[in-house]
Coordinates of all heavy atoms in Angstrom, one line a residue:
F303 N -0.9 -12.0 20.3 CA 0.6 -12.0 19.9 C 0.6 -12.9 18.7 O 1.3 -12.6 17.7 CB 1.3 -12.7 21.1 CG 1.7 -11.8 22.2 CD1 1.7 -12.3 23.5 CD2 2.1 -10.4 22.0 CE1 2.0 -11.4 24.5 CE2 2.4 -9.7 23.0 CZ 2.4 -10.1 24.3
L304 N -0.1 -14.1 18.6 CA 0.1 -15.0 17.6 C -0.5 -14.5 16.3 O 0.1 -14.6 15.2 CB -0.6 -16.3 18.1 CG -0.2 -17.5 17.2 CD1 1.2 -18.0 17.7 CD2 -1.2 -18.8 17.5
Y305 N -1.6 -13.6 16.4 CA -2.2 -13.2 15.2 C -1.2 -12.0 14.5 O -1.1 -12.1 13.3 CB -3.6 -12.3 15.6 CG -4.0 -11.6 14.5 CD1 -4.7 -12.2 13.4 CD2 -4.1 -10.2 14.5 CE1 -5.2 -11.5 12.3 CE2 -4.5 -9.4 13.4 CZ -5.2 -10.1 12.4 OH -5.7 -9.4 11.3
Q306 N -0.6 -11.2 15.4 CA 0.3 -10.2 14.9 C 1.5 -11.0 14.2 O 2.1 -10.6 13.1 CB 0.9 -9.3 15.9 CG -0.4 -8.4 16.5 CD 0.3 -7.6 17.7 OE1 0.8 -6.4 17.4 NE2 0.3 -8.0 18.8
L307 N 2.0 -12.0 14.9 CA 3.2 -12.7 14.4 C 2.8 -13.3 12.9 O 3.5 -13.2 11.9 CB 3.6 -13.8 15.3 CG 4.6 -14.9 14.7 CD1 5.9 -14.3 14.3 CD2 4.9 -16.0 15.8
L308 N 1.6 -13.9 12.8 CA 1.2 -14.5 11.5 C 0.9 -13.5 10.5 O 1.3 -13.7 9.3 CB -0.1 -15.4 11.7 CG 0.2 -16.7 12.3 CD1 -1.0 -17.2 12.9 CD2 0.9 -17.8 11.5
R309 N 0.5 -12.3 10.9 CA 0.2 -11.1 10.0 C 1.6 -10.7 9.4 O 1.7 -10.5 8.2 CB -0.4 -10.1 10.7 CG -1.0 -9.0 10.1 CD -1.9 -8.1 11.0 NE -2.5 -7.0 10.2 CZ -1.7 -5.9 10.2 NH1 -0.6 -5.6 10.8 NH2 -2.3 -4.7 9.5
G310 N 2.6 -10.6 10.2 CA 3.9 -10.3 9.8 C 4.5 -11.3 8.9 O 5.1 -11.0 7.8
I311 N 4.4 -12.6 9.1 CA 4.9 -13.8 8.3 C 4.1 -13.8 7.0 O 4.7 -14.0 6.0 CB 4.6 -15.1 9.0 CG1 5.4 -15.2 10.4 CG2 5.0 -16.3 8.1 CD1 7.0 -15.1 10.1
L312 N 2.8 -13.4 6.9 CA 2.0 -13.3 5.7 C 2.8 -12.3 4.7 O 3.0 -12.5 3.6 CB 0.6 -13.0 5.9 CG -0.2 -12.6 4.6 CD1 -0.5 -14.0 4.0 CD2 -1.6 -12.0 5.0
Y313 N 3.1 -11.1 5.3 CA 3.8 -10.1 4.5 C 5.2 -10.6 4.1 O 5.5 -10.5 2.9 CB 3.9 -8.8 5.4 CG 4.5 -7.7 4.6 CD1 3.6 -6.8 3.9 CD2 5.8 -7.4 4.6 CE1 4.1 -5.8 3.1 CE2 6.3 -6.3 4.0 CZ 5.4 -5.4 3.2 OH 5.9 -4.3 2.5
L314 N 6.0 -11.3 4.9 CA 7.2 -11.8 4.5 C 7.2 -12.7 3.5 O 7.9 -12.6 2.5 CB 7.9 -12.5 5.8 CG 8.5 -11.5 6.9 CD1 9.1 -12.3 7.9 CD2 9.7 -10.7 6.3

Side-chain angles (χ1 to χ4, degrees):
F303 283 141
L304 204 66
Y305 173 70
Q306 292 177 89
L307 172 53
L308 288 166
R309 197 170 172 267
I311 296 298
L312 175 70
Y313 186 83
L314 284 178

